[in-house]
Amino acid sequence: PLAAQDLTADRLGVTPFPLAEPVWTVNPVGAVTFVGASAGTLSVTATRKSRFPTIKDRYSYRAGRALPNPQLKPERALTWTAAYSREMAPRTAVQVEWYRSDVTDEIENIFFLSPLCAAAGGGGGGGGRGAAGTCQQAVNVGVERHHGVSLTLRSTALPHVTVDANYSFLRRRIDGSTAAFPQGTPTHKSLASATISLPRRGAGVVAIRHQRGIVAMSDNGLPLPAASFMTVDAGATMPVRSGVRSEEHTSELQSRFGI
């Protein structure tokens, strides 16, 4: 078992944290793939993965802003993926993926009021997320379900040009908890890029990225829709002489609510 010690209330001694029971996990992976001469490739994959809580999740007070939880259990995720890929035109391939993941004992940070996290001088506790007395704690919240689709295209049909594009949709929800909610991942995400071969062994790249549907956390621990954004990047490299290359790059960010 993992053993750790905690300071006593008067900070003059130490006392042992409750022992965490040893946990074993097995993470199998299985796949079935069908390859057709002209019909494309179809595959179904099942994976089991585990994520153990960190030392910080279990034992850290985070400078007086959190409560430790030595009894945290590891997350366990069972993921199913079905993918189909095919060459749709000369030198152009498309792949479609559907996936579903069920994560049991999902580890999330929850926020609640407690005098144990009151910040000195009345400043906000909980890592700045709320008034004095706001605590955060990593807990096993229940079952989180992810499902979505991904569409990928790659083409070299045009001379000296490689085009890549990807769109993904992700839906997450947590069952069994009213204090935690999914955050930090976009519902819709798109990326497109073009790589161009230039004279004298140079190369140019243009990339566009857009995402929306992210949910963040407000200062009082409530869901807060984050701004959508789009970035446009362009760059080029050109050899100057043997072993030396010149590189130029520009970027633009556009961000607003409700895109």
Side-chain angles (χ1 to χ4, degrees):
L2 181 64
Q5 292 181 322
D6 188 15
L7 284 173
T8 56
D10 58 10
R11 298 182 178 272
L12 299 178
V14 293
T15 182
F17 275 108
L19 288 178
E21 293 296 326
V23 177
W24 297 90
T25 183
V26 177
N27 298 314
V29 178
V32 177
T33 302
F34 169 78
V35 180
S38 59
T41 302
L42 176 66
S43 64
V44 177
T45 305
T47 61
R48 176 72 178 254
K49 294 184 178 181
S50 303
R51 182 176 78 90
F52 286 86
T54 64
I55 298 296
K56 186 176 182 179
D57 290 335
R58 282 181 164 175
Y59 301 113
S60 176
Y61 284 93
R62 301 179 188 240
R65 301 170 300 179
L67 296 181
N69 186 359
Q71 300 302 322
L72 271 179
K73 296 180 288 186
E75 294 179 351
R76 302 179 189 273
L78 176 61
T79 303
W80 290 89
T81 304
Y84 176 72
S85 60
R86 182 179 179 182
E87 185 174 345
M88 306 301 294
R91 305 176 69 179
T92 301
V94 174
Q95 177 169 300
V96 180
E97 289 183 314
W98 170 88
Y99 51 90
R100 176 189 172 95
S101 182
D102 295 327
V103 185
T104 57
D105 292 323
E106 171 82 9
I107 299 175
E108 293 283 354
N109 284 313
I110 63 172
F111 290 80
F112 53 92
L113 294 175
S114 172
L116 297 176
C117 292
R129 299 183 182 276
T134 301
C135 275
Q136 66 176 357
Q137 186 179 48
V139 299
N140 298 109
V141 297
V143 179
E144 181 168 340
R145 306 188 189 279
H146 309 171
H147 67 273
V149 294
S150 177
L151 175 64
T152 302
L153 178 143
R154 182 177 180 86
S155 177
T156 56
L158 298 176
H160 311 295
V161 178
T162 300
V163 176
D164 293 281
N166 175 266
Y167 166 77
S168 62
F169 168 83
L170 172 63
R171 179 72 70 186
R172 299 170 59 195
R173 77 172 192 266
I174 296 178
D175 298 333
S177 174
T178 58
F181 53 89
Q183 56 180 303
T185 53
T187 302
H188 303 276
K189 184 176 180 179
S190 304
L191 175 65
S193 67
T195 304
I196 306 170
S197 298
L198 301 177
R200 298 180 55 191
R201 295 181 297 162
V205 179
V206 178
I208 301 175
R209 178 185 179 189
H210 175 263
Q211 67 180 42
R212 62 186 177 93
I214 298 178
V215 175
M217 183 177 290
S218 66
D219 289 341
N220 56 1
L222 297 177
L224 176 67
S228 302
F229 72 86
M230 180 176 68
T231 60
V232 180
D233 297 272
T237 62
M238 186 71 67
V240 178
R241 61 187 181 191
S242 179
V244 179
R245 298 180 69 89
S246 174
E247 180 174 340
E248 299 293 335
H249 180 268
T250 183
S251 179
E252 180 179 347
L253 171 66
Q254 296 180 356
S255 176
R256 64 190 178 100
F257 288 94
I259 291 181

